[in-house]
Amino acid sequence: MKVLVINCGSSSLKYQLIDSETEKALAVGLCERIGIDGRLNHTPAGGEKIVIEKAMPDHQVAVSMVLDALVHDTYGVIGDLKEIDAVGHRLVHGGEKFSSSVIIDKEVIAAVEECNPLAPLHNPANLIGVRACQAIMKGVPNIGVFDTAFHQTMEPVAYMYGLPYEYYEKYKVRRYGFHGTSHSFVSKRALEMLSLDPSNSKLIVCHLGNGSSISAIKNGKVMDTSMGMTPLEGLVMGTRCGDMDPTIVEYLVHTLDKSVEEVLEILNKESGVYGLSGGVSSDFRDLDAASNEGNEKAKLAVEVFSYRTAKYIGAYIAAMDGVDAIVFTAGLGENNSVVRGQILEHFGYMGITIDKEANMVRGEEKVISTLDSKVTVVVIPTNEELAIAHETVALLK
Ligand code: ADP
């Protein structure tokens, strides 16, 4: 089957056309500046990237341009749009309503809309992408794959906040978790690669990218994860603050004379390693370079990131009463040996030992612990688009 995977934001739309038999992307691309002016970046597999600047007043026009690119005489990758069997959409927040992927119909759209208050920036944008595909690709099934779904196996003990119970009952205030598609894909691959028994396994998956989250997966099911009601909770991230004393919000509102919304914008977009480094960068490649040149704030930012991640790993080992394997994935987890090394040096007492040479790996599957390490540590590249294509095919079969 050929599956068009779409990740739609408020002014952007990322896509991949995936052949589920070969598991390869036939084309990847990105529509940018939708509603502003409009730019399509399209790369056919094995070919040159082409950039088309053309007005994209709305997402429907963007989807049309993507489809035109896919069948184009020179840079297209299919002969006819009829070859696209289904569209798989990344949907951010499924609340408690969705614990697995779904075929999107009117009822599903209404249920996703009910979750909009939990993800006011993302869910409405995701649905715009769904509607645009429904309007243009008549008769082609649309499948929704939720960021939150894989984490729905968490028990109340892990997902409840220490708040009045009625806030959960009335307003759905609880921890949901995100990056579920990646945690699911990578944990399944780890079980397979390490020949672990899924029904008797304890994994910790560290999805470390610009947004970062970590999960404890016991017997194939999420027991806990670091992101909460929104993606702001948990690890220190590229620009997000992660866990902090909530009173700081009130303190900054008064001290900086800003609104709550403005302070939350700072906590989401100007904090994390970017803020800690004094604005050097949210990208760890820049932070590593600045640290090497003696920038103390950049060095501290990376250390704070690693320390917080190590604390979560420690907590999850306690939560699961042990761990068989620790998995690193996403941009940083797959490529940054400095961060992996800093995190893992906290676990010498547990008998985790790292093969320094193996830890130099970038972007490929590899065991990075030594043969005599008490816990296996492995790098596994994530592929959220392929995971969405797998889910789409599985639902339609
Ligand atoms: P996002 O959450 O936006 O998908 P990524 O998973 O791409 O982010 O992670 C971004 C981080 O990963 C950056 O800090 C960057 O330093 C790091 N990273 C991504 N790719 C590479 C690479 N090829 N080599 C080194 N670091 C990388």
Side-chain angles (χ1 to χ4, degrees), residues 235-257:
L235 304 178
V236 174
M237 311 184 206
T239 60
R240 295 192 192 115
C241 60
D243 296 337
M244 62 166 216
D245 182 343
T247 316
I248 296 171
V249 174
E250 187 216 22
Y251 183 78
L252 290 179
V253 163
H254 293 307
T255 310
L256 303 177
D257 192 23

Side-chain angles (χ1 to χ4, degrees), residues 73-215:
D73 285 346
T74 46
Y75 48 79
V77 291
I78 48 175
D80 195 302
L81 289 180
K82 290 202 183 82
E83 290 178 47
I84 301 177
D85 298 293
V87 186
H89 296 265
R90 177 186 179 216
L91 302 180
V92 168
H93 216 308
E96 287 186 328
K97 287 182 193 294
F98 298 100
S99 54
S100 58
S101 304
V102 283
I103 298 175
I104 301 176
D105 58 17
K106 270 192 195 139
E107 284 75 38
V108 167
I109 290 188
V112 175
E113 277 174 337
E114 279 179 41
C115 301
N116 282 359
L118 294 168
L121 293 179
H122 292 98
N123 271 22
N126 297 159
L127 286 179
I128 290 173
V130 171
R131 290 199 172 98
C133 290
Q134 285 177 329
I136 296 177
M137 303 170 77
K138 297 254 187 277
V140 178
N142 288 277
I143 274 68
V145 181
F146 295 91
D147 255 27
T148 48
F150 186 55
H151 300 302
Q152 275 295 305
T153 51
M154 278 194 287
E155 297 283 346
V157 70
Y159 70 65
M160 289 300 288
Y161 287 114
L163 290 170
Y165 195 86
E166 63 181 290
Y167 296 170
Y168 166 62
E169 290 176 306
K170 285 189 186 159
Y171 314 120
K172 307 275 179 229
V173 177
R174 53 157 283 182
R175 309 183 59 257
Y176 292 93
F178 296 87
H179 293 142
T181 312
S182 175
H183 286 281
S184 167
F185 179 84
V186 168
S187 60
K188 288 184 176 79
R189 179 65 199 131
L191 292 173
E192 202 177 78
M193 182 183 169
L194 304 174
S195 303
L196 292 168
D197 174 2
S199 61
N200 183 21
S201 59
K202 295 169 180 173
L203 298 180
I204 292 176
V205 175
C206 308
H207 175 111
L208 310 179
N210 189 30
S212 295
S213 67
I214 175 164
S215 61

Side-chain angles (χ1 to χ4, degrees), residues 258-281:
K258 288 191 185 289
S259 66
V260 170
E261 289 74 18
E262 285 169 331
V263 168
L264 278 168
E265 187 81 358
I266 294 171
L267 301 184
N268 270 298
K269 301 212 169 130
E270 294 173 35
S271 302
V273 291
Y274 170 80
L276 267 166
S277 66
V280 168
S281 179

Side-chain angles (χ1 to χ4, degrees), residues 14 179 207-212 282-286 329-336 362 382 384:
K14 286 188 210 153
H179 293 142
H207 175 111
L208 310 179
N210 189 30
S212 295
S282 59
D283 191 307
F284 279 67
R285 286 167 283 203
D286 302 331
T329 195
L332 261 180
E334 291 166 27
N335 294 295
N336 195 308
R362 277 166 174 269
T382 192
E384 287 168 285

Side-chain angles (χ1 to χ4, degrees), residues 338-384:
V338 175
V339 161
R340 289 192 299 248
Q342 279 183 3
I343 293 168
L344 293 164
E345 80 193 6
H346 291 270
F347 299 97
Y349 77 97
M350 279 188 55
I352 297 183
T353 47
I354 294 307
D355 179 330
K356 286 211 169 76
E357 202 174 308
N359 186 36
M360 297 314 286
V361 68
R362 277 166 174 269
E364 60 180 89
E365 274 184 10
K366 196 170 182 83
V367 172
I368 60 168
S369 48
T370 58
L371 280 175
D372 60 353
S373 177
K374 292 265 170 25
V375 176
T376 307
V377 184
V378 60
V379 171
I380 298 181
T382 192
N383 188 337
E384 287 168 285

